[in-house]
Amino acid sequence: MWKALGIVILVLAAIQLARPSRSNPASAPDKSLAAQLHPPAEVARILARSCNDCHSNLTRWPWYSGVAPFSWIVADDVRDGRRHLNLSQWGAYDAAKQAKLLGSMCEEVRNGGMPLWGYTAVHRGTSLSQAEREELCQWSSAQQAAARVNPQPPR
């Protein structure tokens, strides 16, 4: 039994050497969704509280994100989230992509796909009420409609 415990401890110690990146890339504040679309204060609070950790370059890395194997899961979730939608780089998306992302944003929060249940289970206060889901959907749908009426000029 002591031998097995020793092996488990050695394995746990060894996997600590495989450290994923926990970085927040630099980005221009004027390219963020907040700077480009000026959401109402409540929508901005919802995005900051429940979306930024995985969908922006403003990730708050919790203590357990430095401990394998949790570090691998957290880093992968953040990398995947930023790949799908990065609120810090909103200005880098063309108008069609922005409109699509606004629609996806509403769809994901409305059907309960976002924020992820594992994230809300570990991070208190990040789950969205039905009213918050509807507020975010109304705002994103209005922005999506405005983007279709007033498309941005090519960059």
Side-chain angles (χ1 to χ4, degrees):
M1 175 149 150
W2 289 109
K3 194 174 190 177
L5 182 60
I7 290 171
V8 168
I9 290 171
L10 276 174
V11 168
L12 287 174
I15 67 173
Q16 300 310 310
L17 299 174
R19 294 195 164 273
S21 172
R22 293 187 308 161
S23 65
N24 285 335
S27 52
D30 63 320
K31 299 294 184 191
S32 72
L33 178 138
Q36 301 258 319
L37 299 183
H38 309 289
E42 183 56 27
V43 171
R45 279 192 291 277
I46 292 167
L47 293 171
R49 185 187 82 226
S50 299
C51 306
N52 274 358
D53 278 346
C54 293
H55 293 286
S56 78
N57 295 342
L58 303 173
T59 303
R60 293 168 298 159
W61 297 95
W63 68 268
Y64 58 84
S65 69
V67 180
F70 307 109
S71 59
W72 306 335
I73 297 165
V74 172
D76 186 58
D77 284 349
V78 171
R79 192 172 32 257
D80 193 46
R82 288 176 179 167
R83 184 175 54 83
H84 283 94
L85 165 65
N86 191 328
L87 300 172
S88 296
Q89 309 215 340
W90 186 258
Y93 300 131
D94 63 38
K97 175 81 171 177
Q98 289 177 352
K100 181 179 177 188
L101 289 169
L102 287 162
S104 295
M105 186 184 299
C106 176
E107 184 179 324
E108 287 292 329
V109 299
R110 185 170 276 156
N111 72 20
M114 286 288 150
L116 296 174
W117 72 266
Y119 177 76
T120 59
V122 176
H123 298 88
R124 296 182 93 170
T126 58
S127 60
L128 299 176
S129 68
Q130 190 58 39
E132 290 171 324
R133 291 176 190 280
E134 286 306 314
E135 184 158 3
L136 189 59
C137 274
Q138 288 174 4
W139 174 79
S140 64
S141 296
Q143 292 297 311
Q144 186 181 30
R148 278 191 232 120
V149 172
N150 301 313
Q152 295 175 341
R155 296 172 200 197

